[in-house]
């Protein structure tokens, strides 16, 4: 292994990511950058390389919180620093592991000293270590929500607050926040997306020449890291000096009234919630001007700031892809530009009429971050240092977005011809209905899965419900229970000083109860019996609503469809419900109804997933009208497959899609065989259930009792009628 970082200027292409990182290096107040992209696109490499470009910092000698000798933090836990000597060191890159705990992030009470010496001592966390450096979160979408909230709050306020175990500490925590994520592994909630200042979408280039250059440089680096770094040392030094110069120029940049009016008009036009977007856009535009060496914000700065700060803030529901309407952006900027006579006062700014003769529209400063190389001497392959990536910069997000999203809807269709030689029996995919809020379905009992928002579980978060002896290593000390266990034995153990005499058996750990995320596996009937367009629209809308519910509760989801000759695992269990929504949207219908095959496929999928993730409890959602065809004993085979699932004690729900004046009740019979609850499409809506409850409340106890009795009677009558009808049909 080597400690030589891959040079920032050696990375080929990715102009928007390069610019987003450099703007945050110039002005950390921008609020960090979230890098969204497919695996293997050098996200982590570029972030780690950025740390080597940051100017060195001066810190108070011996201060664990990296206080600046010129302006020490008056609330520093290491005490007041009166004229201390400073030492220079490089800015730190602190990487946050996926499984990090809250104590490790903010710090905690030094339990060993507290219990052995009887003193309160604070042990700093990663936020203190990252102060005045870079905090890098790889796979930020896989972190627990409360951990992400804590990090983003500290980044927004520039200070960390610790109130726990009798310790009250505040310290400065200003850092360049960078998060990376692969959208295929699940999305961040919109509320968390909004806390990142900028977001950049990246994907690997599809140009063979550029891909070859990437491979060539990587092989050269692996062969001799030091020699490879020396090749780009001059470009690295030039770029580092430019960052320092832009930082010095930043306070002198003027945000004109025109630029501010354009910023607020753009945010209003795109209906962005709150005012954080306006503030982030203003800071980004100022940083862009400083990076270009200007002291005034221009329209091109506002345009580029919008392209970086707004796309991820425009999502109205979890399945909306981030994006920005470029034509609408240009139209809004033009409508709120300076009057035409204004340039007479600033003759040097003739470019305000049409942005000058420069044809490279997207470049916020004529060259953007691509000027970090040796000028015209850089390679013409889109590599660092040259001006080649500049025209590709703005086009890249559009091109990459197309390559990211296009394959998903097409994937299920590639298997359609294999279903049979009679495509005429197959119906074209039907659009899903509007999603809505659904009832909450939970897995009974108490689990131990990953923290989420669905079923009760013992988790690292949540509230403490009791204490217990630790089975292995002590992770969450229950201080009160530990002291209570040790107190009766102090006299026998000969305690003389302030410190307690503790034994291993005295320690107790907290048992916290919260909610876990589950694996929600959908088994969807896509056969000819479900193919009526209006009916399938309602069914897809219901499944989409359940997918949205799974997204909000941080579940993993899987999708099995059955039609024609068998069942298909259309979506292996994943945290990306967006992919599930895309597969559902393109789902064709038609053919026979192999219900047993769908249930058996679910059984096999859950068996494999249980080995991969034994603590995540599954919830099976079967979407069907209960019919089964494809053989003489199709219904009996489906019943046996359901019994196989029921024998495992699997929590399941049957979404009854049967419609029409005559109902066979087959879906409810299947629910009985599965040991599941059966819910109709109308009963799935949460507002429908709430309306029923509210309708009963105002009438008082007597009327409410009568209403409930009448409802039970009507339900019982309807159920018995449906059952008798089903029995007659079966006979």
């Amino acid at each position: 292994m080597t400690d030589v970082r891959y040079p920032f200027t050696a990375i080929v292409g990715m102009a928007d990511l390069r610019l987003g990182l450099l703007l945050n290096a110039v002005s950390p107040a921008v609020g960090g950058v979230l890098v969204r992209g497919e695996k293997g696109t050098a996200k982590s490499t570029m972030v780690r390389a950025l740390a080597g470009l940051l100017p060195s910092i001066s810190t108070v000698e011996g201060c664990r919180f990296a206080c600046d000798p010129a302006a020490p933090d008056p609330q520093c836990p290491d005490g007041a620093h009166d004229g201390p000597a400073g030492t220079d060191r490089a800015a730190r890159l602190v990487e946050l592991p996926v499984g990090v705990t809250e104590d490790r992030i903010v710090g905690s009470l030094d339990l060993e000293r507290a219990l052995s010496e009887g003193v309160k001592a604070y042990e700093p966390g990663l936020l203190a270590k990252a102060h005045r450096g870079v905090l890098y979160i790889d796979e930020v979408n896989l972190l627990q929500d409360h951990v992400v909230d804590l990090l983003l709050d500290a980044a927004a306020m520039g200070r960390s607050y610790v109130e726990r175990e009798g310790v009250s500490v505040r310290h400065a925590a200003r850092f360049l926040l960078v998060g990376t994520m692969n959208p295929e592994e699940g999305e961040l909630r919109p509320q968390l997306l909004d806390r990142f200042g900028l977001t950049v979408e990246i994907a690997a280039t599809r140009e063979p020449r550029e891909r070859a250059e990437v491979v060539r440089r990587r092989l050269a680096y692996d062969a001799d890291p030091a020699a490879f770094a020396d090749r780009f040392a001059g470009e690295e030094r030039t770029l580092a000096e430019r960052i320092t110069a832009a930082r010095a120029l930043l306070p002198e940049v003027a945000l004109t009234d025109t630029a501010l009016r354009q910023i607020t008009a753009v945010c209003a036009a795109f209906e962005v919630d709150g005012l954080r977007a306006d503030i982030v856009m203003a800071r980004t535009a100022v940083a862009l001007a400083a990076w270009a060496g200007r002291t005034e914000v221009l329209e091109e700065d506002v345009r580029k700031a919008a392209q970086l700060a707004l796309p991820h803030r425009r999502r109205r529901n979890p399945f909306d892809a981030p994006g920005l309407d470029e034509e609408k952006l240009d139209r809004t900027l033009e409508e709120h530009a300076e009057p035409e006579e204004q340039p007479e006062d600033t003759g040097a700014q003739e470019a305000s009429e049409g942005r000058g003769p420069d044809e490279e529209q997207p470049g916020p400063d004529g060259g953007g971050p691509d000027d970090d190389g040796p000028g015209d001497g850089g390679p013409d392959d889109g590599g660092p240092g040259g001006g080649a990536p500049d025209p590709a910069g703005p086009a890249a997000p559009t091109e990459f977005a197309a390559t990211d999203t296009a394959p998903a809807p097409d994937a299920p269709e590639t298997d359609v011809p294999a279903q049979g030689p009679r495509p005429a029996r197959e119906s074209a995919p039907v659009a899903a209905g509007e999603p809505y809020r659904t009832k909450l379905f939970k897995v009974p009992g108490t689990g131990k899965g990953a923290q989420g928002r669905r079923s009760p579980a013992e988790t690292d978060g949540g509230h403490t419900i009791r204490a217990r002896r630790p089975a292995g290593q002590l992770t969450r000390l229950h201080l009160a229970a530990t002291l209570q266990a040790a107190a009766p034995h102090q006299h026998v153990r000969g305690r003389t000083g302030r410190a307690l005499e503790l034994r291993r058996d005295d320690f107790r750990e907290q048992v916290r109860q919260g909610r876990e995320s589950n694996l929600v596996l959908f088994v969807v009937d896509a056969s000819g019996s479900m193919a009526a367009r209006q009916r399938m629209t309602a069914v897809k809308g219901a499944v989409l609503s359940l997918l949205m519910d799974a997204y909000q509760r941080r579940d993993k989801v899987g999708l099995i469809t059955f039609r024609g000759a068998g069942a298909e695992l259309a979506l292996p269990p994943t945290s990306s419900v967006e992919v599930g929504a895309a597969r559902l949207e393109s789902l064709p219908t038609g053919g026979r109804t192999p219900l047993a095959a769908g249930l058996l496929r679910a059984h096999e999928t859950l068996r494999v997933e249980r080995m991969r993730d034994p603590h995540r409890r599954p919830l099976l959602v079967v979407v069907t009208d209960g019919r089964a065809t494809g053989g003489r004993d199709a219904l009996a085979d489906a019943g046996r497959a359901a019994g196989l699932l029921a024998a495992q004690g699997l929590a399941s729900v049957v979404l009854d899609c049967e419609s029409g004046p005559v109902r066979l009740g087959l879906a409810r019979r299947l629910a009985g065989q599965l040991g599941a609850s059966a819910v109709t499409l109308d009963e799935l809506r949460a507002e429908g259930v709430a309306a029923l409850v509210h309708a009963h409340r105002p009438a008082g106890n007597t009327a409410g009792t009568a209403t409930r009795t009448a409802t039970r009677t009507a339900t019982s009558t309807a159920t018995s009628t449906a059952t008798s009808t089903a029995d007659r049909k079966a006979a």
Side-chain angles (χ1 to χ4, degrees):
M1 297 295 290
T2 178
D3 293 333
V4 179
R5 288 195 180 105
Y6 194 93
F8 187 85
T9 53
I11 297 173
V12 178
M14 294 191 290
D16 274 356
L17 175 55
R18 184 194 307 267
L19 179 59
L21 292 173
L22 291 173
L23 291 178
N24 276 274
V26 171
S27 175
V30 167
V33 58
L34 175 65
V35 187
R36 296 163 47 92
E38 58 193 23
K39 52 188 175 293
T41 48
K43 299 187 297 292
S44 300
T45 300
M46 184 172 276
V47 174
R48 295 186 179 107
L50 176 69
L53 298 175
L54 298 180
S56 60
I57 62 173
S58 179
T59 62
V60 174
E61 189 172 357
C63 178
R64 298 173 297 169
F65 301 87
C67 280
D68 185 352
D73 181 10
Q75 295 181 318
C76 178
D78 279 354
H81 303 301
D82 298 326
T87 58
D88 291 339
R89 65 167 175 81
R92 287 174 178 162
L93 171 68
V94 177
E95 298 192 36
L96 209 68
V98 171
V100 69
T101 62
E102 186 175 342
D103 289 349
R104 185 73 185 94
I105 294 173
V106 300
S108 62
L109 180 68
D110 188 334
L111 296 176
E112 182 178 355
R113 292 190 61 192
L115 296 177
S116 61
E117 302 176 19
V119 298
K120 292 181 180 179
Y122 173 70
E123 187 68 24
L126 294 177
L127 290 181
K129 188 177 180 181
H131 179 46
R132 303 175 68 195
V134 180
L135 181 63
Y136 172 46
I137 314 170
D138 194 14
E139 306 294 352
V140 63
N141 52 326
L142 301 183
L143 286 178
Q144 297 179 4
D145 284 352
H146 74 283
V147 171
V148 180
D149 282 328
L150 189 152
L151 289 169
L152 296 180
D153 283 343
M157 295 185 294
R159 185 164 292 274
S160 176
Y161 296 85
V162 185
E163 301 283 348
R164 57 195 312 141
E165 288 125 4
V167 174
S168 179
V169 174
R170 299 181 181 185
H171 65 82
R174 293 184 297 275
F175 43 79
L176 195 166
L177 177 66
V178 183
T180 60
M181 60 175 284
N182 182 353
E184 293 179 357
E185 297 174 341
E187 282 283 0
L188 279 173
R189 290 184 290 124
Q191 295 89 336
L192 298 182
L193 278 173
D194 183 57
R195 302 304 294 271
F196 278 96
L198 311 178
T199 297
V200 177
E201 296 274 347
I202 63 171
T205 176
R206 302 298 188 255
E207 174 58 42
R209 194 161 60 93
E210 289 189 3
R211 295 174 75 97
E213 182 62 21
V214 171
V215 175
R216 187 179 298 115
R217 294 186 182 188
R218 184 69 207 192
L219 293 178
Y221 171 78
D222 292 340
D224 192 343
F228 183 80
D230 288 342
R231 283 175 50 190
F232 295 89
E235 299 172 36
E236 293 282 291
R237 187 164 48 252
T238 300
L239 186 57
E241 291 172 356
R242 187 175 175 187
I243 292 174
T244 302
R247 281 188 174 186
L249 184 62
L250 190 68
E252 302 177 22
V253 177
L255 180 65
T256 64
D257 290 342
T258 299
L260 183 56
R261 183 170 62 250
Q262 288 179 316
I263 289 171
T264 55
V266 167
C267 292
F270 284 100
E271 300 179 357
V272 178
D273 295 334
L275 293 173
R276 183 177 286 117
D278 305 62
I279 297 172
V280 170
M281 271 191 65
R283 290 172 175 168
T284 304
V286 170
L288 280 162
W291 178 248
R294 289 186 267 101
T295 57
E296 182 175 333
V297 174
L298 303 181
E299 181 178 308
E300 60 195 40
D301 300 324
V302 177
R303 177 184 289 104
K304 193 61 183 179
Q307 292 170 346
L308 293 172
L310 293 189
H312 63 295
R313 293 185 164 90
R314 296 201 60 245
R315 301 177 71 191
R316 286 294 175 263
N317 69 67
F319 306 130
D320 286 344
L324 205 65
D325 186 340
E326 296 289 341
E327 293 184 2
K328 183 176 181 180
L329 173 61
D330 290 338
R331 188 167 57 251
T332 305
L333 290 173
E334 291 174 4
E335 290 174 356
H336 295 83
E338 287 275 22
E340 293 185 0
E341 60 270 21
Q342 174 97 10
E344 294 179 1
D345 299 332
T346 55
Q349 296 185 8
E350 296 176 357
S352 62
E353 297 179 4
R355 295 297 103 213
D358 188 1
E359 296 179 358
E360 296 177 337
Q361 295 178 357
D365 52 51
D370 306 291
D371 288 344
D372 54 15
D376 296 336
D380 60 359
D381 57 5
D390 207 23
T398 305
E399 177 186 344
F400 295 161
T403 57
D404 281 344
T405 57
D410 295 340
E413 296 182 7
T414 57
D415 297 331
V416 171
Q419 297 292 343
R422 294 178 296 176
R425 295 178 58 87
E426 181 180 293
S427 300
V430 178
E434 285 295 323
Y436 47 83
R437 192 165 62 91
T438 66
K439 292 174 61 176
L440 171 60
F441 299 104
K442 296 185 291 186
V443 178
T446 303
K448 296 182 179 180
Q451 191 164 6
R453 298 183 173 185
R454 184 173 296 276
S455 305
E458 291 184 10
T459 61
D460 291 335
H463 60 282
T464 302
I465 56 174
R466 58 187 176 89
R468 67 183 176 196
R469 282 191 172 91
Q473 183 179 2
L474 178 64
T475 55
R476 300 185 301 270
L477 178 71
H478 195 300
L479 187 58
T482 299
L483 297 177
Q484 187 176 5
H489 309 292
Q490 295 304 297
H491 180 71
V492 176
R493 295 172 184 173
R495 173 186 172 186
T496 56
R498 294 177 59 189
L500 291 173
E501 294 291 335
L502 295 174
R503 301 292 184 268
R504 183 175 181 81
D505 289 343
D506 296 333
F507 289 98
R508 300 291 185 271
E509 70 177 2
Q510 301 175 23
V511 178
R512 299 179 182 175
Q513 187 175 74
R515 293 191 178 276
E516 67 177 357
S517 62
N518 299 108
L519 166 60
V520 182
L521 181 62
F522 294 92
V523 181
V524 180
D525 184 351
S527 65
S529 65
M530 303 278 287
R533 295 189 68 86
Q534 186 174 1
R535 182 182 182 193
M536 200 61 196
T537 295
V539 169
K540 282 189 175 183
V543 178
L544 189 65
S545 303
L546 290 168
L547 278 169
M548 183 182 294
D549 181 69
Y551 167 88
Q552 294 169 341
R553 301 190 187 281
R554 316 305 290 168
D555 295 320
K556 290 179 69 174
V557 297
L559 176 64
I560 293 173
T561 63
F562 59 93
R563 56 185 289 272
E568 174 194 4
L569 181 59
L571 178 68
T574 175
S575 297
S576 179
V577 297
E578 291 81 3
V579 179
R583 300 288 169 88
L584 178 71
E585 191 71 20
S586 60
L587 177 66
T589 58
R592 294 181 176 179
T593 313
L595 177 57
L599 297 176
L600 290 175
R601 190 62 182 267
H603 179 269
E604 176 62 18
T605 301
L606 293 175
R607 183 189 68 81
V608 173
E609 193 64 20
R610 195 175 296 115
M611 292 188 291
R612 292 176 178 170
D613 193 353
H615 295 299
R616 190 182 295 273
R617 297 188 295 164
L619 174 64
L620 181 68
V621 179
V622 183
V623 184
T624 181
D625 57 9
R627 291 179 172 84
T629 60
R632 171 181 286 180
D633 298 326
L635 274 176
D637 291 342
R640 284 189 287 269
L644 191 63
L645 290 165
Q648 298 178 344
L650 181 68
S652 53
V653 176
V654 174
L655 184 56
D656 185 359
C657 302
E658 191 173 27
S659 61
V662 178
R663 303 196 180 196
L664 304 179
L666 296 177
R668 292 189 176 273
R669 178 185 296 182
L670 175 64
Q673 294 167 335
L674 283 169
S677 57
V679 180
T680 65
L681 292 175
D682 292 335
E683 294 170 342
L684 182 64
R685 293 178 179 268
E687 56 266 29
V689 177
L692 184 63
V693 173
H694 290 308
H696 289 173
R697 282 179 177 169
N701 293 337
T702 305
T705 302
T707 304
R708 287 192 294 272
T709 303
T711 303
R712 284 197 298 269
T713 303
T715 303
S716 176
T717 303
T719 303
S720 60
T721 302
T723 303
S724 61
T725 303
D727 291 340
R728 287 196 301 272
K729 290 288 185 181

